[in-house]
Amino acid sequence: MRSDGLEMMSSSAIVAFNLKEGKNWWWDVNESPVWQDRIFHVLAVLYGIVSVIAVIQLVRIQLRVPEYGWTTQKVFHFLNFMVNGVRALVFLFRRDAQNMQPEILQHILLDIPSLAFFTTYALLVLFWAEIYYQARAVSTDGLRPSFFTINAVVYVIQIALWLVLWWKPVHLMVIISKMFFAGVSLFAALGFLLYGGRLFLMLQRFPVESKGRRKKLQEVGYVTTICFTCFLIRCIMMCFDAFDDAADLDVLDHPILNFIYYLLVEILPSSLVLFILRKLPPKRGITQYHQIQ
């Protein structure tokens, strides 16, 4: 019995030691300026790669259909190029960004790409909504004005929050700003669930022999799942970020958390969506690509 008790105590001590070592490793990396720079530079490289892929795809589409202007598809890839390019620059100069004064500039520099990311994928929701309503012979005249109105409201509210935070830099305003963006992310997730789900169900009802039905069904299903998941994760993480200092993404000494967060909610989703939507439009007979007015 005594031997069993000693073995149990020994096992507990080993587990406690391993947990302590794991915790020490986490904090050692977080507090190391060398590791901070390495992780942020890796993020910059990953964002740069996604940005290059997006602009290559944009050029390929332009060469395929040069007679069309700024179609929804082209704008989507251009915005992906811009968002990921700006993110790459921010992480490349992350330490300089952290030292910018006044402090409101730091919030703006970190928040603008997130807002642009929302606009980019809201455009995809708009595109799917147009296809869905056109297939059901329902007017789509109000969709684009609604898209621009929603984006304008989001940007105006965020700018107002920045101005208030600049005028009175209190922690409560930071919390409100992060919770607002959590709400925006939830709204985007529900948008994908609503219109991606509707389009998926509609495609399922098409005849089995319909040309391209299976591929389009998989495309919509995969993109809906990826985008819904990434915006939902962003929403949840922003809620933790708002109330828990240990989950703060706007500081230098949380590089591992930054890496995991941005990898899950922006880099991987953007890479996967660009890969899934890599097919070029046909040279003739395009009816679903409308020029942005």
Side-chain angles (χ1 to χ4, degrees):
M1 291 289 292
R2 185 175 179 181
S3 176
D4 291 342
L6 289 174
E7 288 180 2
M8 291 179 62
M9 290 176 63
S10 177
S11 300
S12 300
I14 291 172
V15 171
F17 177 78
N18 289 335
L19 289 173
K20 184 178 179 181
E21 286 296 307
K23 184 177 181 181
N24 287 340
W25 171 84
W26 178 277
W27 289 111
D28 287 344
V29 172
N30 278 340
E31 294 172 2
S32 168
V34 174
W35 275 106
Q36 290 170 10
D37 290 339
R38 285 175 180 173
I39 291 175
F40 289 137
H41 288 163
V42 168
L43 282 172
V45 170
L46 293 176
Y47 273 112
I49 292 172
V50 178
S51 181
V52 170
I53 292 172
V55 78
I56 289 174
Q57 184 68 356
L58 175 61
V59 171
R60 291 178 67 217
I61 295 170
Q62 178 60 28
L63 292 176
R64 172 62 68 92
V65 285
E67 65 272 19
Y68 289 88
W70 281 100
T71 62
T72 305
Q73 190 182 33
K74 290 180 184 178
V75 173
F76 175 75
H77 285 89
F78 176 75
L79 288 176
N80 262 298
F81 160 68
M82 292 295 296
V83 169
N84 289 282
V86 171
R87 279 287 193 213
L89 291 174
V90 169
F91 281 114
L92 185 62
F93 301 104
R94 185 65 181 85
R95 198 167 293 279
D96 295 326
Q98 189 71 34
N99 296 324
M100 292 182 68
Q101 294 298 328
E103 187 178 343
I104 186 62
L105 294 178
Q106 301 174 25
H107 293 288
I108 293 174
L109 197 59
L110 293 172
D111 290 344
I112 281 181
S114 296
L115 290 171
F117 186 84
F118 164 76
T119 299
T120 302
Y121 285 86
L123 188 64
L124 189 55
V125 175
L126 168 68
F127 180 58
W128 283 355
E130 288 180 330
I131 294 176
Y132 174 77
Y133 285 123
Q134 285 172 357
R136 296 177 64 87
V138 177
S139 174
T140 61
D141 293 343
L143 288 177
R144 286 178 181 265
S146 298
F147 168 80
F148 290 117
T149 301
I150 291 170
N151 276 270
V153 169
V154 168
Y155 280 80
V156 166
I157 293 176
Q158 184 60 71
I159 290 171
L161 290 171
W162 285 335
L163 292 174
V164 174
L165 188 59
W166 184 23
W167 171 63
K168 194 171 184 179
V170 294
H171 187 61
L172 177 61
M173 292 309 304
V174 176
I175 293 176
I176 293 174
S177 180
K178 291 178 178 180
M179 288 304 299
F180 168 71
F181 199 76
V184 170
S185 299
L186 180 61
F187 179 76
L190 294 177
F192 273 103
L193 192 62
L194 176 64
Y195 287 107
R198 283 181 170 181
L199 189 58
F200 182 83
L201 294 175
M202 183 184 72
L203 289 170
Q204 274 191 323
R205 291 194 293 269
F206 280 6
V208 176
E209 64 274 10
S210 295
K211 184 179 180 181
R213 171 188 176 275
R214 182 185 297 273
K215 188 172 182 180
K216 181 61 65 175
L217 192 66
Q218 292 177 339
E219 176 184 301
V220 173
Y222 288 149
V223 173
T224 297
T225 303
I226 291 166
C227 293
F228 171 76
T229 303
C230 94
F231 278 105
L232 186 61
I233 292 173
R234 183 190 286 271
C235 172
I236 295 170
M237 190 60 202
M238 289 305 296
C239 291
F240 281 108
D241 185 6
F243 297 104
D244 189 353
D245 289 339
D248 193 352
L249 295 162
D250 297 340
V251 292
L252 287 174
D253 57 357
H254 289 165
I256 302 175
L257 187 63
N258 270 262
F259 182 80
I260 295 171
Y261 173 77
Y262 287 106
L263 187 68
L264 290 178
V265 305
E266 287 188 4
I267 296 172
L268 276 178
S270 296
S271 302
L272 291 172
V273 170
L274 287 173
F275 176 76
I276 293 170
L277 302 181
R278 68 191 182 279
K279 183 180 178 182
L280 296 176
K283 290 184 178 181
R284 298 180 183 277
I286 304 174
T287 60
Q288 70 268 38
Y289 296 101
H290 303 288
Q291 185 169 345
I292 297 292
Q293 298 296 330

